[in-house]
Amino acid sequence: MAVSSRETILILDFGSQYTQLIARRIREQAVYSEIHPYTLDVDTIRTRAPAGIVLSGGPSSCYADGAPTISADILHLGVPILGICYGAQLVAKLLGGVVEPADKHEYGRAQLAVEQAAGLFHGFETGEILTTWMSHGDRVIRLPAGFALVGHSANSPNAAFADPERAIYCVQFHPEVAHTPRGVDIVGNFLFRVAGCVGDWSMSSFADQAVAAIRSQVGNRGRVICGLSGGVDSAVVAALIHRAIGDRLTCIFVDNGLLRAGERTSVAEVFRDHFKIDLRVVDAADRFLDQLRGVTDPETKRKIIGREFIAVFEEYARALSDANFLAQGTLYPDVIESVSTRGPSAVIKSHHNVGGLPEHMKMELVEPLRELFKDEVRVLGTELGLPRHVITRQPFPGPGLAVRCLGELGRERLDALRAADAIIEEEIRAAGLYESIWQSFGVLLPVKSVGVMGDARTYEEALAIRAVHSRDGMTADWVMLPYDLLGRMANRIINEVRGINRVTYDVTSKPPGTIEWE
């Protein structure tokens, strides 16, 4: 979607683990932001005419061989700049200052003394001591010409410095993290006092712009095919496109045999009955499970499922002579994780929404959500009038239960997992925790153990319960579920689901693990 008419903050990413937080903190203050690799060229930046530029932190030393850098011309565009951590050090180096390894590294909380209560520190007090979050091994020991000291810490004599004439502001700490309590104020000062932003970006305005962009892309003719999964993303995509082009949207719901319990009926009720959208339901369970028979490698599972989805859409596209577009629920984290700041990135897992279509498929992608984080999609869903039970639905992986049923897939194992997963959701909802948890689900393990049921020996599989807190799926912490809740779930699963005689609880965060097991 074109964004040239919207005030935008461009974030150049040098590999910081906190870069996504920068974008979120800016958007939370009603200013649109985008993340790009630090290699974004100066001409593109000039053409985009951003309201401001943020240079993120990163793990490198700016003097190391091959350290990421930018053209100094970016610093002379006249665009307000905020350098954070590595970004601050890079600004100092490029403009003639001196950066060197610190005698003592600063990792974690550090106290910063405000030297000047202006610029980023407007509304603070001179001499005020702030708690900040540091993560660096180098420090700036000599400021470039034109810069003034505005804050220092015990190990960073120039922990904050600025050149108001050029509207360049730098901080050694991370204002974007919650561990810097007044970081929101500092980011806000950059946005509104330095960059002069208005702060008029909202889901209502986004919806209007997205509708206009969809109409512009699709034109007055042609049909959009949208694959519904039962999840939030595809539901919001469908509602948004339906608002834009009405009955020229055809939604396809593929029952691939890998869905949650009741998914098929629920989708039909919302979209066919409530929104009156043209919905085609495809029963393709046999097709998918035949292709997946004997497959245990998770990456191969994902590729097979993705290939079959494309094949199903292609078949329906042939049946609809005017179907020229395929809608996808690609989100911003999907896009970010598919782009490396330093060349080809390591593949953690293939993403079903990133990578385009086979060349022989003469369809154009429509991806109206690729600028949004997950919680923003939920807000947009509310704006579009989707029912609350759809908007608050926990994320579900594109490959479905295939990546939660470890090992070989079969109908009996999938049915057992589906039944156990339904019990988990029912108990989590009954405990009033469903909407506060990012994801809670079961994982069926290809591990058998001995048990005793009714004085008889059993030898059946184990199920792991997984529940995590997250804001956008980029990082996650496991949920400390009450013991009595875990006990109820385990007891019900073992008693009510055939094939499972042991239940465990996963207490792994992301990182080092991923939310899904495969």
Side-chain angles (χ1 to χ4, degrees):
M1 191 171 77
V3 295
S4 58
S5 62
R6 179 166 64 199
E7 66 177 11
T8 301
I9 300 294
L10 295 183
I11 302 166
L12 302 189
D13 181 23
F14 293 94
S16 171
Q17 62 181 314
Y18 303 132
T19 300
Q20 289 78 25
L21 285 178
I22 301 172
R24 297 183 63 81
R25 296 298 171 261
I26 293 171
R27 292 187 182 193
E28 286 166 1
Q29 301 198 49
V31 177
Y32 180 71
S33 62
E34 288 181 359
I35 299 171
H36 293 272
Y38 70 88
T39 51
L40 191 68
D41 64 275
V42 66
D43 290 335
T44 300
I45 294 174
R46 186 183 291 111
T47 300
R48 292 295 305 276
I53 298 170
V54 177
L55 307 179
S56 84
S60 302
S61 166
C62 61
Y63 287 109
D65 291 339
T69 190
I70 58 172
S71 168
D73 292 342
I74 292 175
L75 304 180
H76 299 290
L77 289 174
V79 177
I81 289 174
L82 171 61
I84 297 174
C85 195
Y86 180 85
Q89 297 166 3
L90 186 60
V91 167
K93 178 190 174 187
L94 291 175
L95 295 180
V98 176
V99 181
E100 69 173 20
D103 295 332
K104 294 181 180 180
H105 296 178
E106 282 185 310
Y107 296 116
R109 288 182 174 83
Q111 302 303 305
L112 179 133
V114 176
E115 299 274 355
Q116 293 186 34
L120 297 184
F121 298 109
H122 174 82
F124 292 67
E125 299 289 338
T126 300
E128 184 175 348
I129 304 299
L130 306 178
T131 297
T132 64
W133 187 260
M134 299 275 194
S135 181
H136 65 98
D138 293 350
R139 62 179 182 176
V140 178
I141 62 166
R142 190 178 73 208
L143 298 178
F147 281 79
L149 174 67
V150 294
H152 74 273
S153 69
N155 294 315
S156 297
N158 298 295
F161 49 97
D163 182 347
E165 289 295 319
R166 286 186 281 186
I168 301 178
Y169 293 78
C170 298
V171 292
Q172 183 61 71
F173 60 91
H174 290 274
E176 69 272 25
V177 302
H179 302 302
T180 301
R182 296 199 63 184
V184 172
D185 298 327
I186 293 168
V187 172
N189 280 332
F190 175 73
L191 296 175
F192 303 115
R193 296 198 154 270
V194 177
C197 292
V198 176
D200 59 356
W201 189 67
S202 65
M203 279 303 106
S204 177
S205 64
F206 177 88
D208 292 341
Q209 291 175 336
V211 165
I214 293 165
R215 288 172 178 166
S216 175
Q217 180 183 2
V218 176
N220 296 322
R221 295 182 179 180
R223 179 168 298 278
V224 177
I225 297 177
C226 177
L228 286 176
S229 67
V232 179
D233 305 337
S234 64
V236 173
V237 166
L240 188 60
I241 294 176
H242 188 249
R243 175 177 287 191
I245 63 172
D247 60 9
R248 288 193 292 134
L249 168 68
T250 294
C251 289
I252 299 175
F253 179 79
V254 179
D255 185 347
N256 58 8
L258 305 169
L259 304 173
R260 289 173 284 196
E263 202 86 66
R264 183 168 171 169
T265 301
S266 175
V267 168
E269 287 176 350
V270 171
F271 291 95
R272 181 180 289 158
D273 301 339
H274 179 73
F275 279 100
K276 309 300 181 185
I277 290 176
D278 179 20
L279 174 65
R280 317 288 177 91
V281 177
V282 182
D283 189 345
D286 290 341
R287 173 176 179 166
F288 277 81
L289 296 182
D290 285 346
Q291 291 292 320
L292 291 164
R293 184 177 292 115
V295 176
T296 59
D297 178 69
E299 189 68 8
T300 304
K301 287 180 183 178
R302 288 176 176 271
K303 289 178 179 178
I304 290 172
I305 294 165
R307 183 190 68 209
E308 289 304 309
F309 263 113
I310 292 296
V312 170
F313 279 116
E314 188 174 13
E315 291 168 11
Y316 270 79
R318 290 199 197 104
L320 298 167
S321 59
D322 59 346
N324 302 321
F325 301 89
L326 174 62
Q328 287 193 156
T330 309
L331 302 190
Y332 204 38
D334 306 335
V335 176
I336 294 168
E337 287 188 333
S338 300
V339 178
S340 171
T341 61
R342 307 194 67 180
S345 58
V347 175
I348 298 174
K349 58 186 178 183
S350 297
H351 197 282
H352 60 286
N353 279 345
V354 180
L357 296 168
E359 291 184 4
H360 67 270
M361 244 186 120
K362 305 302 181 183
M363 299 180 74
E364 184 178 336
L365 284 177
V366 180
E367 300 175 297
L369 306 184
R370 65 182 288 119
E371 299 172 2
L372 300 184
F373 289 99
K374 189 76 173 190
D375 58 337
E376 294 171 332
V377 174
R378 297 186 194 278
V379 176
L380 178 59
T382 301
E383 182 73 27
L384 295 170
L386 282 167
R388 182 171 180 81
H389 75 271
V390 174
I391 295 169
T392 59
R393 196 81 191 268
Q394 291 179 358
F396 189 59
L401 296 181
V403 293
R404 293 179 178 175
C405 187
L406 277 55
E408 188 171 350
L409 303 176
R411 287 186 180 275
E412 288 187 4
R413 296 190 74 226
L414 287 167
D415 286 344
L417 175 57
R418 203 170 353 255
D421 193 66
I423 290 172
I424 293 169
E425 179 174 335
E426 183 179 324
E427 290 294 339
I428 292 286
R429 285 187 181 277
L433 298 174
Y434 185 83
E435 292 187 17
S436 66
I437 293 175
W438 175 260
Q439 277 174 278
S440 50
F441 55 90
V443 181
L444 187 62
L445 309 180
V447 176
K448 288 190 174 183
S449 65
V450 174
V452 179
M453 299 177 73
D455 294 327
R457 177 186 183 275
T458 62
Y459 188 57
E460 296 176 331
E461 290 187 312
L463 180 107
I465 296 174
R466 179 81 159 135
V468 296
H469 286 310
S470 182
R471 293 197 63 179
D472 50 35
M474 304 295 288
T475 60
D477 293 319
W478 62 278
V479 180
M480 293 186 183
L481 292 177
Y483 288 150
D484 59 341
L485 174 58
L486 286 170
R488 282 196 304 275
M489 289 191 290
N491 186 61
R492 284 193 59 191
I493 290 168
I494 292 170
N495 284 318
E496 298 176 27
V497 181
R498 294 188 63 181
I500 298 173
N501 70 348
R502 190 175 298 271
V503 174
T504 68
Y505 188 54
D506 182 356
V507 293
T508 311
S509 294
K510 176 186 179 182
T514 54
I515 294 177
E516 302 292 343
W517 277 44
E518 291 189 341

